[in-house]
Amino acid sequence: MCGITGYYGNKNMGKYLYNSLKRLDYRGYDSAGIATLNNGKINIKKDTGEVEQINQKHNLEKTDGKIGVGHTRWSTHGSTTKQNAHPHLSCDERFAIAHNGIIENWKDLKSQLNGHRYTSETDSEVIAHYIEEKSKEMSVEEAVKKFFKEAKGSLAVVLLDSKEEKMYAFKRGSPLALGIGNDETFLGSDLYAFSTETDKAIFFEDDEYGIIDQTGYVIKNINGEEVEKEPENFDWDQEEAGKEGYEHYMRKEIGEIPQAVERLENSLNSAQEKQVDRFVELIKNHEKILFTASGTSYHASLMGVYFLNKADIEAQTLIASEFKNYERVDEDTLVIAISQSGETKDVLDAMEYSRKEGADIASIINVPYSSVERESDVSLRIMAGQEVCVAATKTFINQIYTLLKIANKLGYQNHLEEIPKRIEKVIEKNEPKIKQLAKELKNKNDIYIIGRGDTYPIAREIALKLKEIPYIHAEGMMGGELKHGTLALIEEDVPVISLIPEKNSEIISNVKEIEARNAKSIKISPWTGPFKFPNSNSKFPFYTIIIGFLLSYWIANEKNLPIDRPRNLSKSITVS
Ligand code: M6R
């Protein structure tokens, strides 16, 4: 899972590729590199680390060329080394490739080729050698088609051919877009790659490939037949404004939540009103409602199940990567996919499976024009703006706000107006205490969080944030489950965070069970414990997760960790 970029034109090549890679590095930041064509020769610059560090070391910005490809990597096959960084070259150095995805049968493909020298442990390098070998007996285009037909798995590939001075781009599974400028052509894993340069793009469908040269571009299907594709004009309001004085994007993005919610509310009532009505109608018209999502978005989907239940609509949710193993869907099913990036492969796979079985698909996404949006019958945008930090914060709030709005339309009475202002107050009133608590928790190895009803998903989400950002093992649980096993781990001083919206005897019994074992009991509640909240039980999940976000942030800050780019992760997971 990685980001790829490509450019054919007269811009300052190094500068363009460098900026494009910086915009794509949320897709992976283990290593990065570029391959450029200058005077008939391919020049490769690549290394481990983030794009900015690599630029400092190798001066990416000062690289000439008329054609160039770039890559930012999240390691799958092969560890994070300079050799495994893309682009990869063929032995004769005629071809350079950048690949996003996984080629499942790379070993079989490799075994067809004799006498090639491999310099990496990746599945991707085989592409360059395969095209080199096959193009000895057929045209490069035929070799690309042959590879495309034989390769199994997911791929978005950009291939630079130094001899014919062309780029080839092909896609199956992983996303790929082509941007159209004035006498210049862009390629990218998504619109972020080139949205500073053009607002005209074409999205490749599976099993399509493109040939880009000085005359422009042509798109064909896997059989070599030309495909007419109308360029789309996209409205892009996703420009990232920088850290604006904050040390980290995560803290800045938590602070942006109130505005993001207001923007969403306006959009749901105006520009997206029709889609909201359609979404609601689809829910009413289907017998079975199934959510699917991954990570934080899955926790949002749990809230969706809870809210729909309150509107008297039965729904279920399942983690996208296990969806097809546990769920049966048919034409009476509405699948609701939730994804911030709209590119999560597990979610796209669950959607594909559901589509084949005849289900209708609705979705809730943040990134406009993403694959999930384009593959849905109806899609709502959560209008959170670009989220740079890998940890989802403002997008989680806007996901659950959208779900609450839908449940409202279906009969769950709930006032939403005061949410943005109250979130602002929750941050303002509680941050000093959170910083203090962060100091107390920074050396803990395990933290448990318990909730019931609508705070159960929040407990799960706080646990995910504690793992992801300050690297603390955490478990978010249903309060009632504690006594069925986990209580064995609760001993003196083990931190347990309880989410207690009201004087609810069930969760209070769970707190008593914890305190009887001398655990370090931390209560998040409007009526007890150190934090201050507006007195609104039904909106408590919105306020309590803010405490969880800030707590994870401040513990990680205490530990001096790379908050916006946690180890081993990436913002968009485009492999299954
Ligand atoms: O883009 P998506 O919402 O589909 O991403 C799903 C997860 O990968 C994502 O929520 C992940 O868990 C976040 N990094 C959590 O903060």
Side-chain angles (χ1 to χ4, degrees):
M1 178 193 56
C2 311
I4 53 181
T5 185
Y7 177 69
Y8 196 121
N10 293 319
K11 282 191 198 312
N12 178 328
M13 177 60 73
K15 212 174 179 89
Y16 172 74
L17 291 176
Y18 169 58
N19 285 325
S20 177
L21 285 178
K22 272 204 299 184
R23 295 168 63 77
L24 287 175
D25 80 345
Y26 75 93
R27 303 179 69 94
Y29 39 85
D30 290 337
S31 62
I34 60 172
T36 48
L37 178 65
N38 202 9
N39 295 327
K41 202 175 162 335
I42 293 178
N43 174 19
I44 300 247
K45 292 180 175 178
K46 61 182 185 179
D47 216 324
T48 55
E50 293 187 23
V51 186
E52 288 178 28
Q53 296 161 341
I54 299 169
N55 184 44
Q56 277 166 17
K57 202 161 155 197
H58 299 280
N59 233 334
L60 301 182
E61 281 180 287
K62 294 243 160 58
T63 313
D64 295 331
K66 196 173 169 61
I67 317 179
V69 304
H71 187 273
T72 172
R73 179 169 188 247
W74 183 75
S75 312
T76 53
H77 285 64
S79 51
T80 304
T81 61
K82 182 172 174 174
Q83 288 72 23
N84 289 339
H86 296 218
H88 295 291
L89 274 176
S90 56
C91 295
D92 62 2
E93 302 193 356
R94 173 177 172 180
F95 301 103
I97 65 99
H99 166 229
N100 169 30
I102 292 176
I103 299 168
E104 288 159 11
N105 59 338
W106 64 286
K107 285 193 181 142
D108 296 343
L109 295 170
K110 204 168 161 179
S111 67
Q112 293 181 24
L113 314 172
N114 293 320
H116 285 261
R117 188 177 27 86
Y118 290 82
T119 55
S120 78
E121 310 154 325
T122 64
D123 55 328
S124 311
E125 191 185 346
V126 73
I127 306 169
H129 298 287
Y130 184 100
I131 304 291
E132 174 187 3
E133 181 80 19
K134 302 292 171 189
S135 63
K136 287 177 189 155
E137 39 193 78
M138 59 185 81
S139 68
V140 177
E141 184 176 346
E142 286 304 317
V144 165
K145 271 161 52 186
K146 193 169 171 54
F147 178 81
F148 214 2
K149 285 182 180 157
E150 288 196 17
K152 296 203 174 86
S154 60
L155 35 131
V157 179
V158 179
L159 170 90
L160 195 172
D161 176 358
S162 60
K163 191 167 166 202
E164 290 182 5
E165 301 200 348
K166 287 180 182 169
M167 275 195 296
Y168 291 81
F170 40 111
K171 115 126 192 150
R172 179 184 303 136
S174 307
L176 189 61
L178 179 143
I180 304 156
N182 291 330
D183 297 326
E184 56 185 355
T185 308
F186 309 87
L187 289 164
S189 293
D190 57 39
L191 297 180
Y192 281 125
F194 50 74
S195 58
T196 47
E197 312 300 324
T198 178
D199 56 6
K200 232 192 234 174
I202 284 175
F203 295 96
F204 286 85
E205 297 300 329
D206 278 353
D207 288 353
E208 287 179 348
Y209 66 96
I211 307 170
I212 295 100
D213 62 18
Q214 59 176 4
T215 61
Y217 65 89
V218 58
I219 304 216
K220 299 186 178 181
N221 65 24
I222 197 164
N223 299 320
E225 294 147 355
E226 212 169 308
V227 185
E228 283 295 326
K229 287 176 92 86
E230 201 49 46
E232 287 182 41
N233 277 311
F234 57 89
D235 257 349
W236 192 257
D237 54 1
Q238 297 285 303
E239 292 314 315
E240 164 204 325
K243 288 190 199 149
E244 288 166 10
Y246 288 94
E247 199 183 338
H248 302 101
Y249 281 106
M250 182 174 179
R251 180 62 191 82
K252 178 196 161 219
E253 287 161 2
I254 295 170
E256 281 170 358
I257 290 172
Q259 300 97 283
V261 174
E262 270 167 13
R263 189 164 55 235
L264 171 63
E265 171 65 21
N266 290 338
S267 168
L268 294 176
N269 291 332
S270 51
Q272 297 198 84
E273 199 184 358
K274 282 207 173 72
Q275 286 94 306
V276 173
D277 292 343
R278 173 103 203 281
F279 208 110
V280 168
E281 277 314 300
L282 279 175
I283 293 179
K284 284 185 187 158
N285 295 337
H286 284 80
E287 276 175 22
K288 193 168 172 186
I289 311 295
L290 291 178
F291 285 92
T292 191
S294 308
T296 291
S297 298
Y298 169 72
H299 301 148
S301 76
L302 282 170
M303 295 298 291
V305 171
Y306 181 91
F307 293 149
L308 288 190
N309 191 288
K310 290 284 169 200
D312 227 2
I313 290 167
E314 196 186 322
Q316 291 167 30
T317 181
L318 198 76
I319 296 258
S321 58
E322 287 297 333
F323 192 81
K324 64 177 182 305
N325 296 329
Y326 285 86
E327 295 292 1
R328 297 276 58 90
V329 302
D330 56 26
E331 51 285 350
D332 293 325
T333 310
L334 176 68
V335 171
I336 304 179
I338 307 183
S339 174
Q340 184 285 130
S341 61
E343 299 296 350
T344 299
K345 180 77 167 47
D346 291 334
V347 176
L348 287 164
D349 287 349
M351 288 170 68
E352 191 187 338
Y353 157 76
S354 306
R355 188 65 90 193
K356 278 197 187 128
E357 301 296 310
D360 287 323
I361 296 175
S363 64
I364 296 175
I365 53 95
N366 187 41
V367 178
Y369 310 98
S370 54
S371 304
V372 170
E373 182 182 76
R374 288 182 291 112
E375 300 295 325
S376 304
D377 296 304
V378 62
S379 187
L380 293 176
R381 295 180 178 177
I382 60 168
M383 309 302 293
Q386 191 184 4
E387 191 173 59
V388 179
C389 177
V390 164
T393 54
K394 60 178 178 171
T395 53
F396 176 72
I397 296 281
N398 275 20
Q399 286 170 341
I400 64 175
Y401 189 94
T402 306
L403 290 161
L404 185 55
K405 184 93 182 169
I406 290 165
N408 256 242
K409 300 242 170 208
L410 288 160
Y412 177 31
Q413 297 295 322
N414 215 317
H415 295 289
L416 290 93
E417 306 81 48
E418 76 277 27
I419 292 178
K421 283 226 154 34
R422 291 194 168 175
I423 288 179
E424 216 167 274
K425 282 260 170 308
V426 170
I427 299 176
E428 196 185 299
K429 290 229 152 64
N430 295 300
E431 197 158 19
K433 279 176 217 143
I434 294 170
K435 284 187 190 172
Q436 184 49 43
L437 183 60
K439 288 188 202 305
E440 292 167 32
L441 295 181
K442 71 173 184 188
N443 294 322
K444 297 289 182 189
N445 293 324
D446 311 283
I447 299 181
Y448 299 86
I449 307 102
I450 56 166
R452 277 179 177 260
D454 57 358
T455 58
Y456 160 63
I458 303 298
R460 298 271 311 258
E461 177 56 15
I462 296 178
L464 180 61
K465 286 292 169 290
L466 286 170
K467 287 185 265 200
E468 196 179 16
I469 308 301
Y471 306 157
I472 294 178
H473 167 252
E475 267 189 60
M477 304 186 55
M478 298 173 178
E481 269 298 285
L482 203 60
K483 58 187 176 294
H484 297 290
T486 310
L487 205 53
L489 296 172
I490 309 299
E491 51 187 354
E492 195 168 346
D493 258 359
V494 170
V496 183
I497 302 176
S498 313
L499 312 181
I500 322 172
E502 56 197 317
K503 292 189 179 164
N504 166 316
S505 58
E506 289 175 332
I507 189 86
I508 291 168
S509 311
N510 303 141
V511 176
K512 294 240 169 357
E513 290 156 14
I514 294 155
E515 291 178 346
R517 272 88 193 165
N518 295 328
K520 181 176 174 60
S521 172
I522 301 155
K523 298 182 191 106
I524 303 188
S525 172
W527 60 273
T528 177
F531 304 110
K532 298 232 169 326
F533 290 99
N535 202 3
S536 168
N537 284 328
S538 62
K539 256 63 103 260
F540 183 67
F542 285 86
Y543 309 136
T544 196
I545 188 58
I546 299 289
I547 307 287
F549 288 157
L550 287 171
L551 184 61
S552 308
Y553 173 80
W554 283 110
I555 302 177
N557 200 290
E558 279 289 324
K559 294 169 90 167
N560 214 5
L561 292 170
I563 292 179
D564 290 329
R565 295 280 186 261
R567 68 182 173 214
N568 304 337
L569 298 180
S570 151
K571 186 80 185 153
S572 173
I573 312 280
T574 58
V575 292
S576 37

